[in-house]
Amino acid sequence: MRSYTLIAPAKINLYLEIIGDRPDGYHELAMILQSIALADQIDLEANGIELIRLRCDNKQVPVDKSNLAYRAADLMVSEFPDSFATYGGVDITLHKRIPVAAGLAGGSTDAAAVLVGMDLLWKLGLTKLELEELAAKIGSDVPFCIGGGTAIATRRGEVLSSLSDLGDIYIVLAKYRSLEVSTAWAYNTYRSLYGDRYIKDTESLAERASAVNSGEIVQAIIRQNVKEIADKMRNDLEKVVLPEYPQVLQLKESLAKYDILGTMMSGSGPSVFALCESKEKAEQVKLSLRNEIPDTDLELFVTRLITHGIQVAS
Ligand code: C5P
């Protein structure tokens, strides 16, 4: 039976601004999302029976309906019942390389890969836009993960506008293995602390969101000025995560001492990244941080910014 192997890259946020509340309980955001080379591998095989089966090589990852990859397959089954009747379900194997619950969209990118893979397995011929629309039903970061690269994401995070590619920029990524931050907790805590400052009227919300298009960090990206990009990075969720998780704050402070361009927490954390001007610099910073914090619970990666999302390997 036909099978596919897909590569599903993680993302970091170069910018995350919380603008206001939404009637659906989510937040209006203005973000800049960036794919990185650190990726999971997803194997998909049509199994000819009426079942979705999920396996993962990381015991930390649930393999039931709470897994976004499972939910993606379930969504395809309900959206395309005729294909399910013709081809049957899928066996999904996740080879996890992206740290879990880290603010790196690890679960979201696996779900995006399942959508892309099942479109191929079931010969549906869906467009990128159609895949993104399905992806938005699974989670706010899933649409971006389909096409990846560098993009502005507004509304819940699902309205995307591509930016020029950023090439040859390396990052050091740091995450305590045992530390997990709930995205819902981070946003809800932010609301309870800063909700009174949210923009309330619809027109001003839309204006604020579109202001990101001409904002300084977008200009820096267009000019490919990495130092300026690093200077203009912003993540509002740091305001709630850093005080609650001193280890994350310590990582940021440690990284800031080295010869880097800038450092920030990604998404709702707890992973922290540092932008570096070369691979050699990034390797040096990783080594120095490892010497400073020999804790084996601390995972460190050197990886680079990339210009694509889900790729079919075979
Ligand atoms: O969409 P996703 O399931 O990834 O979001 C996880 C949680 O993050 C949501 O339940 C919500 O609490 C919060 N969130 C939010 N506003 C967004 C995206 C996520 O409040 N735009």
Side-chain angles (χ1 to χ4, degrees), residues 11-22:
K11 65 94 182 124
I12 53 172
N13 295 71
L14 296 174
Y15 189 87
L16 192 164
E17 180 185 354
I18 299 177
I19 298 174
D21 257 327
R22 293 169 53 89

Side-chain angles (χ1 to χ4, degrees), residues 237-279:
L237 290 174
E238 285 190 339
K239 284 194 219 157
V240 295
V241 178
L242 298 187
E244 189 70 24
Y245 295 89
Q247 277 174 299
V248 184
L249 177 63
Q250 189 212 351
L251 273 182
K252 252 198 94 170
E253 287 175 350
S254 295
L255 281 166
K257 287 186 307 209
Y258 303 127
D259 187 13
I260 59 162
L261 298 167
T263 174
M264 204 172 67
M265 184 180 83
S266 180
S268 55
S271 61
V272 172
F273 66 89
L275 288 181
C276 298
E277 65 191 22
S278 68
K279 185 165 194 272

Side-chain angles (χ1 to χ4, degrees), residues 25-27 29 138-140 155-157 183-184 187-188 191:
Y26 280 66
H27 283 88
L29 305 174
I138 304 166
S140 312
R155 307 301 312 270
R156 242 178 72 209
T183 305
Y187 279 103
N188 289 334
R191 180 189 285 115

Side-chain angles (χ1 to χ4, degrees), residues 63-80:
V63 288
D64 58 13
K65 286 189 181 188
S66 66
N67 190 305
L68 294 185
Y70 190 102
R71 276 195 239 163
D74 217 17
L75 177 68
M76 292 298 275
V77 168
S78 57
E79 295 277 335
F80 304 100

Side-chain angles (χ1 to χ4, degrees), residues 292-310:
E292 188 183 329
I293 312 176
D295 188 346
T296 51
D297 194 43
L298 179 65
E299 282 184 288
L300 297 175
F301 305 85
V302 167
T303 184
R304 68 189 162 82
L305 309 194
I306 56 168
T307 60
H308 58 80
I310 306 302

Side-chain angles (χ1 to χ4, degrees), residues 39-272:
D40 289 342
Q41 181 190 312
I42 289 97
D43 301 329
L44 273 188
E45 188 167 8
N47 60 21
I49 52 171
E50 291 195 353
L51 268 185
I52 298 162
R53 294 187 295 205
L54 178 62
R55 286 186 304 189
C56 182
D57 60 2
N58 179 339
K59 296 269 178 298
Q60 240 186 310
V61 177
V63 288
D64 58 13
K65 286 189 181 188
S66 66
N67 190 305
L68 294 185
Y70 190 102
R71 276 195 239 163
D74 217 17
L75 177 68
M76 292 298 275
V77 168
S78 57
E79 295 277 335
F80 304 100
D82 292 348
S83 303
F84 185 48
T86 307
Y87 297 101
V90 278
D91 286 346
I92 307 167
T93 308
L94 302 180
H95 305 273
K96 284 305 286 182
R97 301 292 170 264
I98 305 170
V100 178
L104 298 171
S108 298
T109 195
D110 295 346
V114 169
L115 295 181
V116 171
M118 287 183 73
D119 172 53
L120 294 170
L121 274 180
W122 288 359
K123 303 181 174 63
L124 294 167
L126 297 174
T127 62
K128 183 165 168 260
L129 199 65
E130 286 168 331
L131 285 166
E132 286 172 356
E133 278 169 10
L134 287 170
K137 297 184 185 182
I138 304 166
S140 312
D141 285 340
V142 188
F144 167 76
C145 294
I146 302 264
T150 310
I152 298 174
T154 51
R155 307 301 312 270
R156 242 178 72 209
E158 84 286 14
V159 177
L160 301 170
S161 163
S162 288
L163 289 168
S164 45
D165 290 340
L166 287 173
D168 242 19
I169 300 170
Y170 284 81
I171 64 167
V172 179
L173 193 63
K175 152 114 200 329
Y176 282 99
R177 213 173 265 116
S178 60
L179 210 59
E180 294 188 1
V181 174
S182 150
T183 305
W185 169 85
Y187 279 103
N188 289 334
T189 307
Y190 190 92
R191 180 189 285 115
S192 64
L193 291 177
Y194 304 106
D196 55 339
R197 299 185 202 165
Y198 285 0
I199 294 176
K200 299 281 186 299
D201 74 289
T202 328
E203 213 172 293
S204 312
L205 272 175
E207 257 172 44
R208 186 66 210 103
S210 78
V212 74
N213 292 289
S214 50
E216 290 176 315
I217 187 162
V218 169
Q219 298 311 311
I221 290 169
I222 292 166
R223 284 197 294 273
Q224 306 261 318
N225 185 330
V226 194
K227 181 62 195 135
E228 219 178 305
I229 294 170
D231 288 344
K232 303 297 175 196
M233 292 194 301
R234 164 175 172 176
N235 182 350
D236 285 347
L237 290 174
E238 285 190 339
K239 284 194 219 157
V240 295
V241 178
L242 298 187
E244 189 70 24
Y245 295 89
Q247 277 174 299
V248 184
L249 177 63
Q250 189 212 351
L251 273 182
K252 252 198 94 170
E253 287 175 350
S254 295
L255 281 166
K257 287 186 307 209
Y258 303 127
D259 187 13
I260 59 162
L261 298 167
T263 174
M264 204 172 67
M265 184 180 83
S266 180
S268 55
S271 61
V272 172

